[in-house]
């Protein structure tokens, strides 16, 4: 992964990228133009776009920018308050801090997913992943996720990797549910753990 704010290299980078992750945390006029340029270029190359509408609902410019970028997004991820504001259901948020539980935002996440033909991830104590035909719940998060910054239950770069390389050949609920489980090391079994890397999966023949 690479973080770039240079529009002159955007097309070159996106030709070798697996996904584009747009985080609007640092926002100004130049950044907005860069986001839109990158999103349009990624769409031309058929690259998945993940939108993190940081602080949506906190200021008018953040809400407006988030809604401009929404039309390009394959995946939208945010806390409950950001998702509700993006769906025009909340007028004010507390910046990046969520003031609502994720379950409250599930209806709004479903509406965003349906109306924009994308996947919406609401992160917090319980994560919800919604798309146009299903909603999946994962209780692997923590309630403190809504109160801190700089981290996420399901980081955007992993979401991009899943969308591009894994979810094309696996059932999303199984992949996210199994891959993100944490398990204790068995007693008296040593201190070394072997992890198996994901291999190619057969194409799913049923939904």
């Amino acid at each position: 992964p690479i973080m770039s704010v240079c529009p002159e290299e955007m097309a070159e980078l996106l030709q070798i990228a697996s996904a584009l992750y747009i985080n609007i945390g640092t926002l100004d006029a130049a950044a907005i133009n860069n986001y839109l340029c990158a999103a349009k270029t990624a769409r031309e190359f058929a690259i998945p776009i993940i939108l993190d509408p940081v602080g949506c609902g906190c200021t008018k410019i953040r809400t407006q920018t988030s809604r401009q970028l929404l039309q390009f997004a394959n995946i939208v991820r945010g806390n409950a308050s950001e998702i509700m504001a993006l769906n025009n259901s909340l007028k004010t948020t507390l910046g990046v801090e969520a003031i609502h539980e994720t379950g409250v935002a599930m209806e709004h996440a479903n509406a965003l997913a349906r109306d924009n033909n994308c996947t919406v991830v609401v992160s917090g104590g319980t994560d919800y992943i919604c798309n146009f035909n299903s909603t999946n719940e994962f209780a692997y998060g923590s309630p403190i996720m809504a109160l801190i910054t700089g981290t996420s239950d399901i980081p955007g770069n992993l979401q991009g990797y899943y969308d591009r390389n894994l979810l094309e050949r696996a059932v999303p609920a199984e992949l996210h549910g199994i891959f993100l489980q944490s398990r204790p090391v068995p007693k008296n079994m040593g201190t070394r753990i072997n992890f198996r890397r994901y291999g190619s999966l057969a194409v799913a023949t049923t939904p």
Side-chain angles (χ1 to χ4, degrees), residues 21 111 151 185 187 203:
Y21 179 43
T151 186
V185 178
K187 291 183 178 180
V203 176

Side-chain angles (χ1 to χ4, degrees), residues 183-202:
R183 306 236 175 195
V185 178
K187 291 183 178 180
N188 303 319
M189 294 297 288
T191 58
R192 179 176 176 178
I193 305 175
N194 293 319
F195 293 92
R196 182 171 62 87
R197 178 177 295 182
Y198 276 105
S200 297
L201 302 176

Side-chain angles (χ1 to χ4, degrees), residues 30-165:
I32 294 171
N33 288 332
N34 287 342
Y35 298 151
L36 291 170
C37 175
K40 292 174 182 177
T41 305
R43 173 170 283 185
E44 291 177 6
F45 293 148
I47 294 173
I49 301 170
I50 301 93
L51 170 63
D52 190 339
V54 178
C56 182
C58 180
T59 63
K60 291 181 180 179
I61 190 66
R62 287 187 176 278
T63 305
Q64 178 182 344
T65 300
S66 297
R67 291 175 182 163
Q68 279 183 285
L69 293 167
L70 176 61
Q71 62 182 305
F72 299 101
N74 300 97
I75 299 174
V76 179
R77 53 95 42 220
N79 62 42
S81 300
E82 291 166 343
I83 295 301
M84 293 172 69
L86 188 58
N87 193 43
N88 200 28
S89 303
L90 188 66
K91 301 301 181 184
T92 305
T93 66
L94 296 179
V96 298
E97 293 184 3
I99 55 178
H100 297 87
E101 296 293 332
T102 52
V104 177
M106 187 170 61
E107 177 183 345
H108 306 285
N110 279 318
L112 280 174
R114 181 184 64 249
D115 295 343
N116 297 278
N117 191 30
C118 63
T119 298
V120 179
V121 180
V122 189
S123 61
T126 298
D127 297 328
Y128 291 93
I129 301 178
C130 311
N131 58 34
F132 63 92
N133 63 2
S134 67
T135 298
N136 297 286
E137 176 182 337
F138 303 97
Y140 303 130
S142 167
I144 67 171
M145 295 303 301
L147 305 175
I148 60 176
T149 61
T151 186
S152 169
D153 293 283
I154 306 176
N157 58 336
L158 288 182
Q159 292 168 22
Y161 182 75
Y162 289 165
D163 188 75
R164 182 63 182 237
N165 297 296

